[in-house]
Amino acid sequence: MWREDVLDLKLTKFFEISARALLSLLITAILLAILAGIAWTFYDIRLVFSADFHGAFRTILVDVLTVLAIVEILRTALAYFSEGRVKVTYIIDTVLVTVLTEVMAFWYREMTWEKIAMVIALVLSLAAVRIIAVRYSPRGRHEDL
């Protein structure tokens, strides 16, 4: 019995070390993606001088919002790295930023009212889930005890 506990402890320790090493690589990749996104955004500033303003600003806006979505993914990875669990609010924030990026792109396209209604329903449901996640957070339950 004691040997099984030691084996379980060693496997758990190996898993934690392996997960942290892989997560460190993932965080490095995310940081490189943020750096590339920022560089691409600065590169797209040239469109302001060469293309129509509307299209240039739309491109820059989508670039910035995409970088912000990647920053939210970084926050999720860092929260897992430091707390050992994934925070649902960070994931919902990431999805909200991504969906709002698509909503911004809708401004420049012809959309049917059904698609717009679906996007509104999605954003409202994500907002409701985020409120519920904050209200019923495990951290909040521990503070109440």
Side-chain angles (χ1 to χ4, degrees):
M1 179 120 182
W2 182 77
R3 291 184 65 148
E4 291 173 359
D5 290 340
V6 170
L7 183 62
D8 285 345
L9 183 63
K10 286 183 180 181
L11 285 174
T12 302
K13 190 73 168 170
F14 173 74
F15 173 75
E16 288 177 5
I17 291 170
S18 300
R20 285 191 175 272
L22 292 174
L23 193 57
S24 295
L25 290 173
L26 179 66
I27 289 171
T28 304
I30 293 170
L31 287 170
L32 289 173
I34 291 171
L35 181 64
I38 291 171
W40 192 259
T41 302
F42 277 110
Y43 179 71
D44 281 344
I45 288 177
R46 68 179 164 67
L47 296 174
V48 172
F49 304 109
S50 63
D52 65 311
F53 281 139
H54 227 8
F57 288 136
R58 178 188 66 201
T59 302
I60 292 169
L61 182 67
V62 169
D63 289 347
V64 169
L65 290 173
T66 302
V67 169
L68 290 176
I70 296 171
V71 168
E72 291 297 327
I73 292 170
L74 177 65
R75 284 182 57 198
T76 303
L78 289 174
Y80 184 79
F81 194 78
S82 64
E83 297 180 24
R85 68 181 185 92
V86 174
K87 296 186 92 172
V88 174
T89 54
Y90 291 161
I91 294 172
I92 295 170
D93 289 346
T94 303
V95 174
L96 276 170
V97 169
T98 305
V99 168
L100 291 176
T101 302
E102 289 301 314
V103 168
M104 296 289 205
F106 286 171
W107 288 349
Y108 302 101
R109 290 189 228 149
E110 187 70 28
M111 299 297 297
T112 63
W113 69 270
E114 291 93 357
K115 286 185 181 180
I116 293 173
M118 286 190 318
V119 170
I120 291 171
L122 176 63
V123 170
L124 290 176
S125 63
L126 286 171
V129 169
R130 188 175 191 309
I131 291 168
I132 291 169
V134 169
R135 176 70 178 108
Y136 297 105
S137 167
R139 179 170 297 197
R141 278 193 240 147
H142 290 295
E143 291 172 0
D144 290 342
L145 298 176

